[in-house]
Amino acid sequence: MSNTLVIKGFGGERKLSGTVKVTGAKNAALKAIAATVLFRDTVTLTNIPEISDVLRMFDLLKDMSASVVNTKKGTYTVTIPTRGFATELTPGIAKRMRASVVLTGPVLARYGKVSFPHPGGCVIGARPLDLFVDGFEKMGAKVVMSDTGYVVEAKGGLKGAEFFLKNQSVTVTETFMMAAVLAKGTTTIKNAAMEPEIVDLAQFLNKCGAKISGAGSPTITIKGGKLLTGKGHPYKTMPDRIEAGSFLVLGALAARELHITNCNPVHLESPIETLRSAGVPIEVKKSEIIVRASSHLKAVDIKTHEYPGFPTDLQAPMTVFLTQAEGESKVFETIFEGRLNYTESLAAMGASITMMDPHRVLVRGKSELRGRKLTSPDLRAGLAFVIAAVVAKGESVIHNVDTTIDRGYEDIENRLRAIGVDIERAETVPEVTPSIA
Ligand code: EPU
């Protein structure tokens, strides 16, 4: 498959309509896949999105000798062998996917050892591992760091512990919630992250025998116990709130009426309220959001925040929205310091954006965007570029799709084409062997 998307923009006209169905959430599916290491028998995972991050997570498990079977679209069974499971996360894969770090909790808890590489450089910010190292040590493990990565060992198994997270980190909360399921005694995580994906994971683990309480609040308590059982408890991935929110922005800018189905609007209260205050007519049903055209979009300030605040993963699509709203909006990215760099490309498309500092930009709307060649720094900015390209006048070409958009959005071009977006994956250009002069 080629790495390039070609989009012909509508120059601000509202031409989209129809229904777009939301897939299972990437950031829930990845954790459920990691959690299979806590099971003594086969686990069935359903509504798993067909995206490259998910395939990589399965590859990591397969490399460790798990059996992974894709029984039908979106459904997988995973079995961890009773013997011979490797405790090293394959560096070539783990380095390319920061989310792989959540596997360390279950592997360490079950096998008393795990090794993993330094996570690769990340374009959205520094993303340190200090809270992971602190947590492992508090639970009685020894952590050795070398040039190549980390080796963590807990010879007699992990012990329950109490810790306070200095930052409300999503993957740290999930990693230690999973590790604590097999630790001796009780673990308390204070200042835990409260994202819906954490609640989804806790509910699944509890159905299978874990004793986790408080997920979704800032204090989570886990009573350690035995290996879990998947028998009779298939996991169904919750809907992707970031995908739903991105479609909402796309609809607000380019649709006459767009129905976003198979989603959970309760998870999107902050983006929905923000868009409504900017003048977007939004109707909310139980598992559907309907967005309609507005005659006037107004500027609104946004500040990213841990859940239930405005999600950092929707900051880039929302900034595209603000380029089309009348007036001056401030965008304050509080979670990651490198997550506004993509705004340079929006400015090159004609947006009026001033970077105040690495965490803040000022957007002056409304600007007419023009199609451009774009290279996205990360998957969320990648989808924001798709939205900008639909709004722009002329053709845009988005490169690097395999390392950005394809990591998190299933079959994006066909799903968007079905609601009227003029989008094609460019033909793969055969590589020409350069001649040596
Ligand atoms: N942090 C530390 N020390 C650590 C770990 C994190 O200081 O050891 C800090 C980070 O530097 C950051 C803050 O904690 O300032 C919060 O980051 P968090 O750890 O919550 O981010 P994450 O768990 O690595 C997850 C999602 C991200 C999403 C963030 C915030 C997954 C796999 N990733 O990342 O999703 O942006 O939470 O909601 O769940 C994406 O899907 O594109 C994506 C980047």
Side-chain angles (χ1 to χ4, degrees):
M1 209 159 49
S2 108
N3 279 335
T4 304
L5 289 173
V6 180
I7 297 169
K8 292 200 180 74
F10 298 143
E13 274 186 71
R14 292 168 190 281
K15 292 194 171 176
L16 309 184
S17 65
T19 299
V20 60
K21 194 170 149 190
V22 174
T23 63
K26 167 179 87 78
N27 287 344
L30 291 174
K31 323 308 167 51
I33 296 169
T36 59
V37 175
L38 302 172
F39 285 72
R40 63 178 156 83
D41 50 11
T42 300
V43 191
T44 303
L45 306 173
T46 69
N47 200 31
I48 297 288
E50 304 279 338
I51 52 177
S52 62
D53 266 14
V54 154
L55 298 178
R56 270 189 213 163
M57 200 67 154
F58 280 132
D59 284 346
L60 273 176
L61 277 183
K62 285 193 250 178
D63 280 2
M64 295 166 111
S65 78
S67 145
V68 177
V69 183
N70 185 191
T71 52
K72 61 177 182 191
K73 186 179 181 298
T75 300
Y76 293 79
T77 58
V78 182
T79 316
I80 304 298
T82 37
R83 270 163 224 275
F85 193 73
T87 56
E88 184 190 20
L89 272 58
T90 307
I93 306 175
K95 268 186 176 184
R96 286 191 290 148
M97 185 172 64
R98 159 101 188 176
S100 61
V101 72
V102 293
L103 253 177
T104 60
V107 173
L108 179 66
R110 181 162 182 175
Y111 298 98
K113 188 171 178 183
V114 67
S115 51
F116 55 101
H118 293 286
C122 179
V123 286
I124 65 174
R127 304 182 89 185
L129 286 181
D130 55 334
L131 292 174
F132 290 89
V133 173
D134 271 12
F136 293 139
E137 288 177 345
K138 288 216 171 84
M139 294 185 84
K142 201 168 145 248
V143 181
V144 178
M145 193 182 87
S146 70
D147 290 350
T148 50
Y150 296 82
V151 178
V152 187
E153 261 185 286
K155 288 234 166 76
L158 291 177
K159 308 190 295 277
E162 184 173 313
F163 38 93
F164 182 95
L165 305 184
K166 77 171 161 48
N167 288 323
Q168 276 190 332
S169 159
V170 175
T171 44
V172 171
T173 302
E174 292 161 335
T175 301
F176 290 101
M177 196 168 81
M178 290 191 276
V181 164
L182 297 184
K184 283 191 205 87
T186 300
T187 299
T188 306
I189 308 173
K190 293 183 181 170
N191 200 31
M194 301 191 286
E195 270 62 8
E197 290 77 12
I198 296 168
V199 179
D200 187 66
L201 177 64
Q203 284 171 345
F204 167 54
L205 298 179
N206 280 345
K207 264 199 267 169
C208 303
K211 295 192 177 66
I212 303 169
S213 57
S217 82
T219 305
I220 303 180
T221 307
I222 308 106
K223 285 201 179 106
K226 292 200 286 266
L227 288 172
L228 307 178
T229 175
K231 211 168 182 183
H233 310 295
Y235 167 75
K236 183 174 181 213
T237 315
M238 61 174 266
D240 197 312
R241 64 195 165 97
I242 304 304
E243 186 179 89
S246 307
F247 292 155
L248 189 53
V249 171
L250 176 66
L253 292 178
R256 294 189 293 275
E257 179 170 314
L258 185 65
H259 292 240
I260 301 159
T261 60
N262 283 58
C263 61
N264 185 348
V266 173
H267 295 161
L268 284 156
E269 278 179 318
S270 172
I272 289 173
E273 280 317 301
T274 307
L275 286 165
R276 278 184 175 150
S277 69
V280 180
I282 297 173
E283 188 185 335
V284 167
K285 297 190 173 174
K286 192 164 178 284
S287 58
E288 180 176 348
I289 306 173
I290 303 160
V291 53
R292 298 191 172 89
S294 154
S295 51
H296 182 65
L297 300 177
K298 313 188 276 277
V300 56
D301 292 341
I302 62 160
K303 179 177 170 190
T304 64
H305 196 279
E306 293 82 1
Y307 188 82
F310 195 93
T312 170
D313 291 342
L314 282 177
Q315 177 261 106
M318 191 63 198
T319 301
V320 174
F321 173 88
L322 296 175
T323 67
Q324 302 306 301
E326 291 293 341
E328 197 173 88
S329 308
K330 288 190 211 81
V331 177
F332 187 3
E333 168 56 60
T334 66
I335 318 269
F336 297 117
E337 69 278 11
R339 222 176 192 183
L340 284 167
N341 294 341
Y342 72 91
T343 56
E344 267 181 38
S345 301
L346 293 185
M349 292 177 85
S352 168
I353 300 187
T354 310
M355 174 122 14
M356 316 299 285
D357 63 51
H359 284 278
R360 290 177 308 154
V361 294
L362 203 63
V363 184
R364 282 176 221 88
K366 167 182 182 180
S367 333
E368 189 174 283
L369 302 183
R370 295 176 300 274
R372 293 266 315 182
K373 285 200 173 68
L374 300 158
T375 302
S376 165
D378 73 288
L379 75 161
R380 306 304 180 189
L383 203 73
F385 285 172
V386 170
I387 299 171
V390 173
V391 171
K393 205 171 185 172
E395 185 177 278
S396 294
V397 178
I398 304 178
H399 296 291
N400 267 35
V401 179
D402 65 334
T403 53
T404 58
I405 296 171
D406 289 344
R407 287 184 42 208
Y409 301 94
E410 181 178 311
D411 194 17
I412 195 68
E413 64 274 27
N414 288 320
R415 293 163 70 214
L416 293 185
R417 200 177 309 113
I419 56 169
V421 176
D422 189 338
I423 180 169
E424 292 292 336
R425 204 171 270 260
E427 293 291 313
T428 312
V429 184
E431 270 188 37
V432 180
T433 316
S435 53
I436 299 165

